[in-house]
Amino acid sequence: MTQIFRVSEDHALAEKILDVILRGWTRFLVEDPVSRPLWNDIFECFPEFHFGISSPDGRDLAAVGMTAPLAWDGPESELLSRGWHWALRQSLEDFRAKRPVRTLCALNAVVAPPFRGQGYSEKIVTEMKNLTESHGFNRFIAPLRPTQKERYPLTPIEQYALWRRSDGEPFDSWLRVQKRCGCRIIGTAPRSIVIEAPLSSWREWTELEFFDSGKYILPGGAVPLEVDIERGVGTYTAPSIWIAHDIPRSSHLCNP
């Protein structure tokens, strides 16, 4: 039987959660100079909002989730010019300014490879919705990083978000899980993650060589890398799909 553990109950869990997340990411996301320095503060400031879900035998963390409260409670259209990096920074800014918080935002959700395809994604979403209700937030939002987008890096996110399978469900598996759990699609944020770094770093992270300025397809990249040889930098500007969940005073179980 699976169990849910929160960092507020065991602070040593933070390191285990981060390990599951980082092992599931491509190298340049792990090394992201925007998010990487923030993880310790995010765990320290919001321990009750980060959790792990055990494997049935209790020996492993099968899945993990991270969320953070935001003071933001504006029109959903405002989110389209913002994204994942904004949510990370804004949550800490709100916390330090002691602003009243009204919205819960998903930051990370990862299922460890041995446990994928076993319903853990739905368990993560259900727990995030439970946290939203139990803490009295007005709404639950998330800047989704589409799982299969890296296979179609040249397809605009606005087009990708509209792709549907023959049964009418979203093509992307992570968006499909969210829809089954009752989400509404707000829209796309084309500049959700912006990583600018020296080309020497990109060479290390990707094992690619860059001889000319222009676009380069990255292993694990949702979009191409923009390389500027003259400046010696590469810029990765990745999109998200913003979704929202209405939180009724009822069961949050996802549809099978």
Side-chain angles (χ1 to χ4, degrees), residues 45-46 48-49 68-73 90-105 132 135-139:
C45 293
F46 312 116
E48 66 271 38
F49 295 108
L70 297 171
W72 177 86
D73 194 25
Q90 192 64 46
S91 65
L92 292 172
E93 182 180 318
D94 291 341
F95 178 84
R96 290 161 181 157
K98 299 182 179 179
R99 297 180 183 123
V101 289
R102 300 176 176 85
T103 299
L104 191 65
C105 183
T132 304
H135 286 270
F137 293 114
N138 295 348
R139 51 184 155 179

Side-chain angles (χ1 to χ4, degrees), residues 40-171:
N40 286 341
D41 286 347
I42 286 173
F43 277 114
E44 184 176 338
C45 293
F46 312 116
E48 66 271 38
F49 295 108
H50 313 313
F51 59 90
I53 304 174
S54 73
S55 59
D57 61 10
R59 296 179 180 178
D60 300 292
L61 276 185
V64 299
M66 295 180 66
T67 63
L70 297 171
W72 177 86
D73 194 25
E76 291 178 346
S77 59
E78 291 181 352
L79 296 171
L80 305 184
S81 61
R82 303 169 182 178
W84 186 63
H85 277 167
W86 168 80
L88 295 173
R89 292 163 164 154
Q90 192 64 46
S91 65
L92 292 172
E93 182 180 318
D94 291 341
F95 178 84
R96 290 161 181 157
K98 299 182 179 179
R99 297 180 183 123
V101 289
R102 300 176 176 85
T103 299
L104 191 65
C105 183
L107 301 180
N108 291 313
V110 175
V111 178
F115 302 99
R116 291 175 183 169
Q118 300 177 38
Y120 282 97
S121 295
E122 289 85 352
K123 293 179 188 295
I124 292 173
V125 178
T126 296
E127 178 59 16
M128 289 180 173
K129 293 176 72 173
N130 286 337
L131 284 170
T132 304
E133 181 176 7
S134 64
H135 286 270
F137 293 114
N138 295 348
R139 51 184 155 179
F140 168 48
I141 60 174
L144 300 188
R145 297 191 297 280
T147 302
Q148 279 77 42
K149 181 65 175 69
E150 65 185 52
R151 300 180 188 174
Y152 306 92
L154 301 181
T155 302
I157 188 61
E158 297 83 4
Q159 182 177 346
Y160 179 88
L162 297 175
W163 286 0
R164 294 293 181 270
R165 304 191 308 182
S166 59
D167 60 5
E169 290 200 332
F171 167 77

